[in-house]
């Protein structure tokens, strides 16, 4: 039995950023800056249609 899981890149980055903010609140500025840069790069290079198949 093979199970296909489709993960989009943007929600994974958002989830990771949220967890890091909860664990290390002092890093909020850096996490938000990294998140915004990552989302901008994904938008510019069309990575929003990238899916991970696990």
């Amino acid at each position: 039995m093979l199970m296909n899981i489709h993960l989009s890149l943007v929600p994974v980055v958002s989830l990771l950023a949220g967890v890091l903010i909860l664990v290390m609140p002092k890093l909020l500025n850096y996490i938000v800056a990294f998140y915004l840069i990552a989302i901008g790069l994904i938008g510019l290079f069309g990575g929003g249609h990238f899916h991970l198949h696990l």
Side-chain angles (χ1 to χ4, degrees):
M1 174 189 263
L2 182 61
M3 185 175 174
N4 289 330
I5 299 174
H6 301 283
L7 295 176
S8 187
L9 189 59
V10 175
V12 172
V13 172
S14 300
L15 182 61
L16 181 63
V19 169
L20 286 174
I21 290 169
L22 285 174
V23 173
M24 296 178 273
K26 291 182 180 183
L27 295 178
L28 177 63
N29 292 336
Y30 296 107
I31 293 169
V32 170
F34 174 75
Y35 175 78
L36 291 173
I37 290 168
I39 297 303
L41 289 173
I42 290 168
L44 283 175
F45 295 112
H49 301 291
F50 176 72
H51 295 284
L52 297 173
H53 300 284
L54 301 176

